[in-house]
Amino acid sequence: MEVSDVLENKGLVEHCLMVFGNGWRYVYGTYGLILTESHLALKQQQYPNQINKYIDFIKSECINKRTVDCVGFIKSYLWWNIGDVKYDAATDTSANGMYYLSVEKGKISSMPEILGLCLWKNGHVGVYIGQGKVIEARGTKEGVICCSISDNTWSHWFKCPYITYPQITWEQIIDEFADHPVEWKTAIKVLKNAAKADGNLGSLEIFKYLPDLLEKIYNK
């Protein structure tokens, strides 16, 4: 993935899958840089309570690997720059800070089916990747994991305030999910036009709403 001026939910999910697939590790206070001895020493000075109790494990398992903490996991996407990470003070915030900055959020029981939503509980955040799954940087020993939403005690969802969540069109839905998308799009357009034709009667008129229905099902 290369640096882009447009950061979207789909890109966040792709980044999460890349991080999980590449086996990034967890070190408190980090955001995707390769962990060196000197970098670890700096983090040890900054966050002794979080680092010192795991120092032997970190030196054994995490040196010379990319590391993140829970919100650093998301910031590594915001700051990704042609295969590396470039720090940006403007978007450097905590898990709680990111939650409170978001203008669209709600209780976990009301979570819409939108890829790239952030899942939050006090002090911790993860990313929803679809099909009831979340990727999170859970802790030093656990690392970056993929699990069911129900495997953690999330209290709320929110839209990351630094990325966009564009609504997908019915044509894009067909392109992504259907076999023979050209034929499907042609058939839906024929049905939609027939439903609006003069003299049309009965239940055929319902087909004019089919594109809107596809968009609502996917986007909601």
Side-chain angles (χ1 to χ4, degrees):
M1 182 177 65
E2 294 188 356
V3 66
S4 171
D5 292 333
V6 180
L7 298 175
E8 296 184 347
N9 58 325
K10 186 176 180 180
L12 175 58
V13 170
E14 291 173 350
H15 182 79
C16 291
L17 291 169
M18 180 273 292
V19 170
F20 174 68
N22 287 345
W24 290 21
R25 304 303 304 232
Y26 181 109
V27 173
Y28 191 88
T30 63
Y31 48 82
L33 295 173
I34 295 174
L35 187 71
T36 62
E37 293 279 1
S38 59
H39 191 200
L40 175 58
L42 175 62
K43 294 303 169 184
Q44 196 173 7
Q45 290 178 354
Q46 290 178 309
Y47 310 108
N49 292 337
Q50 292 83 4
I51 299 289
N52 285 341
K53 56 186 174 181
Y54 297 115
I55 192 64
D56 291 338
F57 179 87
I58 293 171
K59 287 183 176 180
S60 171
E61 301 295 331
C62 304
I63 293 296
N64 295 323
K65 297 178 182 177
R66 291 193 183 274
T67 64
V68 290
D69 63 12
C70 70
V71 73
F73 181 36
I74 297 171
K75 289 187 285 193
S76 72
Y77 170 63
L78 302 178
W79 303 344
W80 196 248
N81 183 54
I82 314 177
D84 208 347
V85 181
K86 185 178 181 180
Y87 176 79
D88 176 22
T91 53
D92 186 6
T93 187
S94 65
N96 287 1
M98 193 173 289
Y99 170 76
Y100 290 118
L101 282 171
S102 176
V103 297
E104 293 188 69
K105 52 194 167 188
K107 292 183 177 180
I108 197 67
S109 59
S110 70
M111 189 185 82
E113 181 64 25
I114 299 175
L115 299 180
L117 287 180
C118 296
L119 306 184
W120 176 83
K121 64 179 183 179
N122 187 27
H124 188 59
V125 66
V127 177
Y128 181 62
I129 62 168
Q131 299 183 329
K133 299 291 187 180
V134 58
I135 294 181
E136 57 175 304
R138 181 170 285 188
T140 305
K141 293 291 185 69
E142 299 93 337
V144 178
I145 65 171
C146 180
C147 59
S148 297
I149 292 178
S150 59
D151 288 342
N152 210 328
T153 54
W154 306 108
S155 62
H156 292 76
W157 63 268
F158 68 94
K159 288 186 176 180
C160 178
Y162 305 114
I163 67 174
T164 61
Y165 292 78
Q167 296 286 292
I168 191 170
T169 66
W170 72 267
E171 291 95 343
Q172 290 172 317
I173 294 169
I174 294 298
D175 283 336
E176 185 168 353
F177 294 107
D179 294 328
H180 314 294
V182 174
E183 290 89 340
W184 271 108
K185 286 190 283 187
T186 299
I188 290 172
K189 288 176 182 177
V190 169
L191 283 171
K192 186 178 179 182
N193 291 334
K196 296 188 295 184
D198 292 339
N200 187 44
L201 298 173
S203 61
L204 182 60
E205 293 184 7
I206 197 66
F207 287 109
K208 67 186 177 184
Y209 302 113
L210 182 56
D212 289 341
L213 178 62
L214 288 172
E215 292 175 11
K216 287 178 181 178
I217 290 172
Y218 184 87
N219 290 311
K220 299 297 182 183

